[in-house]
Amino acid sequence: MAVPTKNIPAPDLVPVRRALLSVFDKTGLIDFAKALAAAGVELVSTGGTAKAIAEAGLAVRDVSELTGFPEIMDGRVKTLHPSVHGALLGIRDDADHAKAMRDHHIEPIDLLVSNLYPFEEVRRSGAGYASIVENIDIGGPAMIRASAKNHAYVAIVTDPADYASVLNALEMNLGSLSLDFRKKLAAKAFARTATYDAAISGWFAEALEIEHPTWRAFGGRLDQVMRYGENPHQGAGFYLSGDKRPGVATARQLQGKQLSYNNINDTDAAFELAGEFDPTRSAAIAIIKHANPCGVAEGATLKAAYAKALACDPVSAYGGIVAMNRILDAEAAEEIVKTFTEVIIAPDATDEAAAIVAAKKNLRLLVAGGLPDARAAGTLVKSVSGGLLVQSRDNAVVDDLELKVVTKRAPTPAEMADLKFAFRVAKHVKSNAIVYAKDGATVGIGAGQMSRVDSSRIAARKALDAAEAAGLAEPLTKGSVVASDAFFPFADGLLSAIEAGATAVIQPGGSMRDDDVIAAADAHGIAMVFTGVRHFRH
C-alpha cells in the first residue's frame, strides 16, 4: 500500500536563507561559499568543510550547534540527527510539520551541498578491505536522498560543476530557486546515490565472490552526449563506469572530431583485439569495421604488420578503426594515413607520429596508456527487453589452453603458430566466425553468418577478391590455416575450408559428429587441433 499524501502544492520559488555544506571534494567550494555568503545565505557546515570555510574568513556554524551533539566515532556520526533531517525533510506548508519543527527548534535548511566519500576511487586504488569499507559514505547519501525527496522546499547540489548554475539561478530569481530547477537537481542527486550504491554492491559481490547476486545494479557518469546513436534517428550518450581498464573510455584523445557512438563501439572492439598480442613478442595491428576485424597481422614493426593486415581486405579497411599493441611511430603513421581511417588507438604515440596524424584534422588519435589484459576477469552487460544479460568477460587465451591434436597428422611448428594466431583473432569475430591465417596475418575472415559453412565460403571469397586486387595468381588461403570459433557441426564447413586451401584447422571440438569431421580431415591429410574452449561472440 502506498504511503498517503496530503497533496500540498509545492511553491515555485523558495528563498535560500540557510545552506548546509558537507563535501569531500572541495573543488570550487570556497568561491561558492563566498558567493552564498555575499547573497546573505547563512552557512552551516561539518568537519573539514567547516574548517576550510572558516579559514577562508567566512562566518560558518558547525552542524553540532544545530544538533546539540558533537561529531563522534571518528566522524561516522555527525549529521544523522533529527535537527538535520527534520530541517531537510520538513514540509514547510504542512501545519503538523511546521509545528514539529517549532516544538523541536528545528531550523529549516533550504540548500544542501554534499558530495560523497571517494568510494569508487579508493576501490580502484587497490586499498584493503577495511579501508574500502571506511569509505562507504552513510551520512552523505542519507542527507542527499532526504533533500532530493523534499525538493519541493530544498535544493540539493551534489556536483561542483553545478555551482555556477546555482549561483546564476539565485541571481536571476533574487535569492530563490525555482521548482523546475530543484527537480532537476533532485533527479541528478538520486542518480548519483544510485550509482554510488551500485559501486558498493558490485564491490561486495566481487569481494565475496558472489557470481550472481540477487539484486544487480550498474552505474555510470555521463561523459558525452552524442549527435546520435547507431542511426541518426536514435539518441545516444556515453557513460563512464569508472573501470580503469585501458581502452576507449580511459584513453586520451589527442586530436580529431568527437567520437560517434559507432566509433566508440568499434574502437573498443579493435583495442580489445590488439590486447591479445604481447607487444614484447611482436608488433600487431587490428583493422576493425562494424566491430569485426577485416585484417589482423603481426610483424617485426607496426608498419610491416599494418601492410599485412591491410592486404587481407583493403576494401573493407576504408573508413575503419586501426588499433595496435605498441606505441604508434612515424613509419606506421605515414602508412595508416594513406587510407581513410576513422580512429587510431594505441598505447601511446611519438610526437612525430602525432604530427603526421594531425595533418588529417578529422582523424581521431587516441592513446590509452597501456593495453587491456586479455586474461583479466571482468563483467559484460547487454540489455534485452525487460532485463539485463550479465556474464563474465571471455578471458580465455589460446596460449593457456591445452591443445589436442586429433588427426593422424600433427601441425608443423609454422602451422601451429598460425593456428594460435587465427584462434586468437576468431575470439573477436562475430559468430559464426571463420578465420584463415598465414604467416602471422589474416588472409580471409567470415563473420556473423547463420551457417558456419557460409562464413567459410565468404572468407574464401574475400581472400579471392583481395588476391585479384593485389594481382596475385592465387588467394593467400592456399596453404593457410583456419580457425573456427565453435565446433563444426558437420564436415561441410571443414570441406569448404579445405577447398579454399587450408592445410590445418583449429576448433573447440565437442560436436556429436566430431568423428566424422576428424575422418574428413584425415582423408585430406589435414592437421586438426581441438582447444576445448568455444569463443561465441554475438
Side-chain angles (χ1 to χ4, degrees):
M1 182 177 179
V3 176
T5 177
K6 297 180 181 180
N7 290 320
I8 297 172
D12 181 23
L13 293 174
V14 172
V16 176
R17 300 188 178 96
R18 182 176 294 106
L20 171 56
L21 301 93
S22 180
V23 298
F24 184 89
D25 179 0
K26 295 177 176 57
T27 303
L29 170 68
I30 300 306
D31 288 341
F32 187 50
K34 286 180 178 178
L36 291 176
V41 178
E42 180 187 4
L43 306 181
V44 180
S45 192
T46 64
T49 308
K51 181 180 178 182
I53 293 172
E55 288 176 349
L58 298 173
V60 59
R61 292 176 66 189
D62 193 276
V63 75
S64 61
E65 292 184 40
L66 269 64
T67 63
F69 205 90
E71 293 185 18
I72 61 172
M73 300 178 182
D74 299 318
R76 279 192 170 197
V77 179
K78 53 191 173 188
T79 59
L80 296 169
H81 192 281
S83 292
V84 173
H85 286 270
L88 297 173
L89 282 166
I91 300 174
R92 317 289 168 77
D93 296 320
D94 182 303
D96 293 338
H97 285 215
K99 182 178 184 302
M101 293 177 79
R102 288 194 303 271
D103 290 348
H104 297 284
H105 309 290
I106 295 174
E107 303 172 81
I109 294 170
D110 310 304
L111 172 67
L112 173 68
V113 183
S114 180
N115 54 58
L116 307 174
Y117 293 168
F119 174 85
E120 296 100 331
E121 289 79 4
V122 173
R123 175 192 179 186
R124 288 194 296 268
S125 73
Y129 188 94
S131 180
I132 293 174
V133 168
E134 199 57 37
N135 278 277
I136 296 175
D137 203 325
I138 300 301
M143 289 194 298
I144 289 170
R145 288 174 59 83
S147 303
K149 176 173 180 173
N150 200 29
H151 60 268
Y153 299 95
V154 182
I156 168 62
V157 182
T158 56
D159 187 348
D162 291 329
Y163 291 168
S165 62
V166 171
L167 294 175
N168 183 60
L170 284 170
E171 184 177 357
M172 289 179 62
N173 293 303
L174 304 177
S176 297
L177 295 175
S178 70
L179 177 60
D180 183 63
F181 189 73
R182 299 194 305 273
K183 284 180 178 179
K184 290 177 180 177
L185 290 174
K188 185 170 184 177
F190 277 122
R192 175 63 189 116
T193 57
T195 303
Y196 194 74
D197 286 340
I200 295 168
S201 63
W203 169 72
F204 265 113
E206 180 183 296
L208 300 177
E209 298 182 349
I210 302 172
E211 187 174 2
H212 303 295
T214 304
W215 297 95
R216 196 75 186 250
F218 299 94
R221 182 182 180 120
L222 181 65
D223 181 65
Q224 62 175 295
V225 176
M226 297 167 174
R227 287 193 300 137
Y228 55 83
E230 283 186 290
N231 300 290
H233 63 279
Q234 295 173 268
F238 185 36
Y239 288 79
L240 304 182
S241 68
D243 185 357
K244 292 303 181 183
R245 182 177 178 85
V248 64
T250 57
R252 184 165 51 97
Q253 185 169 346
L254 299 187
Q255 71 135 69
K257 58 185 179 180
Q258 184 185 44
L259 292 164
S260 70
Y261 179 100
N262 291 329
N263 290 153
I264 290 174
N265 186 56
D266 292 351
T267 303
D268 177 68
F271 205 52
E272 286 291 327
L273 175 48
E276 295 281 346
F277 297 93
D278 182 355
T280 64
R281 186 184 66 198
S282 65
I285 291 281
I287 306 173
I288 297 289
K289 194 74 169 288
H290 298 300
N292 271 308
C294 51
V296 185
E298 290 182 293
T301 65
L302 288 174
K303 179 181 178 180
Y306 178 74
K308 291 165 68 177
L310 183 64
C312 178
D313 189 354
V315 174
S316 297
Y318 183 86
I321 312 293
V322 176
M324 60 205 68
N325 67 341
R326 287 184 179 176
I327 296 172
L328 176 65
D329 54 42
E331 271 195 334
E334 286 176 347
E335 290 302 310
I336 294 170
V337 299
K338 291 177 181 178
T339 299
F340 171 58
T341 300
E342 290 276 6
V343 181
I344 299 172
I345 183 169
D348 207 342
T350 66
D351 292 341
E352 295 82 1
I356 291 167
V357 176
K360 304 288 185 179
K361 65 178 183 178
N362 289 330
L363 172 55
R364 296 87 158 181
L365 175 59
L366 306 180
V367 292
L371 282 173
D373 181 358
R375 293 178 172 85
T379 302
L380 302 179
V381 185
K382 180 180 180 180
S383 64
V384 296
S385 297
L388 299 171
L389 283 171
V390 181
Q391 66 172 343
S392 58
R393 178 182 287 118
D394 182 357
N395 61 351
V397 174
V398 67
D399 292 330
D400 303 334
L401 304 180
E402 185 176 342
L403 304 183
K404 180 182 179 183
V405 178
V406 294
T407 47
K408 294 175 182 177
R409 183 174 81 79
T412 66
E415 286 175 327
M416 182 60 84
D418 278 339
L419 287 171
K420 289 182 176 181
F421 170 88
F423 200 66
R424 191 174 283 115
V425 174
K427 174 181 172 181
H428 294 265
V429 179
K430 301 294 185 184
S431 301
N432 289 310
I434 292 292
V435 177
Y436 293 91
K438 186 176 183 179
D439 299 330
T442 57
V443 294
I445 300 173
Q449 298 304 304
M450 293 67 74
S451 164
R452 191 161 302 280
V453 67
D454 285 344
S455 288
S456 183
R457 289 168 178 164
I458 287 171
R461 177 70 245 183
K462 292 182 80 66
L464 185 61
D465 292 343
E468 290 176 354
L472 302 177
E474 62 180 12
L476 291 177
T477 50
K478 297 296 183 182
S480 69
V481 305
V482 66
S484 174
D485 63 339
F487 61 64
F488 288 100
F490 301 96
D492 55 357
L494 173 66
L495 294 173
S496 178
I498 293 170
E499 184 180 349
T503 62
V505 182
I506 187 168
Q507 58 135 321
S511 168
M512 293 175 59
R513 297 180 180 84
D514 274 350
D515 289 344
D516 295 342
V517 176
I518 293 169
D522 282 334
H524 290 80
I526 299 300
M528 183 179 288
V529 174
F530 281 4
T531 66
V533 171
R534 187 180 73 185
H535 281 312
F536 269 169
R537 190 177 185 87
H538 292 115

